[in-house]
Amino acid sequence: MTIARDFAAGEENRYAAAINTLSELVALLAGLDGPKILVHLTDGLAQRPGLSIFSYLVEQACPNDTERHSEAYSEMLQHDLSPQLEKLAHAANANRVTFFPIDTGGVRAGLNQDPSFSGSQGAPSPRNDYVHKMNAQSGMQLLAQSTGGYMLINSNDLAVHFDTIRKRLANTYLLTFVAPEVKPGQTHTVDLLLAPGGPKRRRPHYRRTYIDRSIDEYLGQRLLSTAYLGLEENPLRVLIRVGDTEALDRERFRLPIMLKVPEAELRRLTGTPRIELRVWLVAIDLQQRGRTAVRQKALAIGGPDGIAATDGFFGIRIVMELPAGEYSVAAGVLEEATGATTLIRNAVSVPRTVE
């Protein structure tokens, strides 16, 4: 039981790390317009890590030990990644990402075909082998079904899988509907039914949920896409300038960021003396692949109480505190009245040592 418990915990950590990575990727893809396809190659993504080993203990290792059965079933229930997988599927639908998971196990041989079980009475049964296979593919199936994709299994030829994806995309079309007015951030389900009298044995594949994202969440995710993928757009013609770093200690530095917004461009867009802006900022560590939280700031430009222009530019100064390293600093500027949005980035090197 100890070995089984440790194995399940290790598998849970491994799958949870994979889900977190996929969640980050889905967030980055939010900045790309239109629908996106995510082809995920994996050797498994179980909803219940360790399910087959606990099943093996109950059914084969100690079939008559009812006390051990109760302990095994209790352990089974403790390892469940369904909530994390469902959250990932909801985020993918909100960002128009469709999953096509590919099982890299290909045509899987049974567990009892492992040479280490040769001549052993303890080889996993066909039922246990089935539990193991279905559980390994269960998370893949959940992501594919929830996002309108398709799980690709039982082939050792990638060309077959990619041809299946091509054919399915060729037969995909878009249905739109006017959603009821809802609170941003809430998850809502979608049901799609085929009209009666149509061809038999057809089943629709579609997104099962949608989320009406707030403007803050949407622009925050687009900012991450800019920082990581370089998807810049600059209708406001904003300039980003990085000042000299100031050492706080041997590891951390104060880094001033200056955004310069052309006065003439804002006046042309709005025609008003006072302008409302919102600014987002994030720094991506290019070596560690970590990032700061997305910072947001609302401010007034021009008018009696707003930032005054200097040499034809409105200057917005923001100071970040960062460890030494190489960074991609991305900034977003939204003009509230027109919705005009700038997304830009700049590479910056923060000194590694204090001289």
Side-chain angles (χ1 to χ4, degrees):
M1 183 61 72
T2 300
I3 294 173
R5 188 182 296 115
D6 291 344
F7 173 79
E11 290 291 277
E12 183 172 10
N13 290 337
R14 183 168 72 93
Y15 292 134
I19 294 171
N20 289 337
T21 301
L22 289 171
S23 299
E24 287 285 338
L25 180 55
V26 164
L28 296 186
L29 293 175
L32 296 172
D33 291 332
K36 281 81 64 174
I37 301 299
L38 199 161
V39 180
H40 178 215
L41 283 79
T42 175
D43 64 342
L45 193 60
Q47 286 184 259
R48 290 190 173 275
L51 176 64
S52 59
I53 195 169
F54 291 119
S55 175
Y56 177 84
L57 286 178
V58 169
E59 297 179 0
Q60 292 186 245
C62 46
N64 300 316
D65 189 341
T66 56
E67 182 179 345
R68 192 68 63 200
H69 293 182
S70 176
E71 186 178 356
Y73 286 130
S74 176
E75 287 290 341
M76 257 185 229
L77 297 176
Q78 293 183 36
H79 302 282
D80 186 3
L81 293 175
S82 299
Q84 293 92 318
L85 286 163
E86 290 173 356
K87 183 178 179 181
L88 171 57
H90 297 334
N93 287 333
N95 297 333
R96 302 185 69 185
V97 176
T98 300
F99 273 89
F100 280 85
I102 294 179
D103 183 2
T104 57
V107 180
R108 293 176 178 263
L111 292 176
N112 51 16
Q113 300 299 312
D114 190 308
S116 62
F117 288 119
S118 179
S120 171
Q121 297 298 315
S125 67
R127 170 181 163 75
N128 187 257
D129 184 59
Y130 177 80
V131 169
H132 173 78
K133 178 181 177 181
M134 292 299 101
N135 188 48
Q137 295 174 345
S138 59
M140 302 162 61
Q141 178 65 31
L142 185 152
L143 293 177
Q145 183 174 0
S146 298
T147 62
Y150 188 73
M151 181 173 67
L152 300 151
I153 59 176
N154 299 330
S155 176
N156 295 331
D157 187 353
L158 277 179
V160 172
H161 289 321
F162 283 109
D163 189 55
T164 300
I165 294 174
R166 180 188 62 79
K167 290 177 179 177
R168 285 187 168 268
L169 294 180
N171 290 292
T172 297
Y173 58 96
L174 183 66
L175 292 175
T176 62
F177 64 95
V178 177
E181 199 166 315
V182 295
K183 184 178 180 181
Q186 292 182 337
T187 301
H188 303 272
T189 59
V190 177
D191 291 319
L192 190 151
L193 303 177
L194 295 179
K200 302 291 185 181
R201 306 175 80 176
R202 289 195 176 182
R203 185 177 61 179
H205 293 254
Y206 62 96
R207 300 191 186 283
R208 304 305 173 100
T209 61
Y210 76 92
I211 300 174
D212 188 13
R213 291 178 295 172
S214 67
I215 187 66
D216 291 343
E217 182 181 6
Y218 173 67
L219 290 178
Q221 290 178 331
R222 290 188 66 191
L223 184 64
L224 292 177
S225 298
T226 299
Y228 280 103
L229 306 177
L231 304 174
E232 298 185 66
E233 51 185 278
N234 195 1
L236 299 176
R237 303 186 186 280
V238 178
L239 303 177
I240 182 170
R241 298 288 183 261
V242 180
D244 295 331
T245 54
E246 175 189 349
L248 297 173
D249 51 44
R250 292 192 64 85
E251 297 296 332
R252 297 189 65 80
F253 296 81
R254 184 177 286 117
L255 177 70
I257 307 294
M258 178 65 75
L259 301 177
K260 302 181 69 174
V261 187
E263 180 181 16
E265 194 66 30
L266 284 180
R267 299 295 185 211
R268 184 186 66 79
L269 281 173
T270 64
T272 59
R274 189 177 187 277
I275 301 165
E276 301 287 340
L277 295 182
R278 266 194 286 179
V279 178
W280 286 262
L281 198 69
V282 69
I284 306 296
D285 188 329
L286 297 177
Q287 295 168 320
Q288 301 297 326
R289 288 301 176 187
R291 63 177 175 86
T292 64
V294 177
R295 297 173 57 183
Q296 181 186 165
K297 184 176 184 179
L299 44 86
I301 297 290
D305 59 343
I307 298 174
T310 303
D311 298 329
F313 290 90
F314 295 107
I316 304 169
R317 187 174 185 271
I318 303 173
V319 178
M320 308 185 78
E321 294 184 4
L322 299 169
E326 303 294 326
Y327 292 89
S328 171
V329 176
V333 180
L334 168 69
E335 198 286 302
E336 297 275 17
T338 64
T341 304
T342 275
L343 295 163
I344 53 177
R345 69 172 183 170
N346 196 7
V348 59
S349 179
V350 177
R352 293 189 173 281
T353 57
V354 178
E355 296 183 0

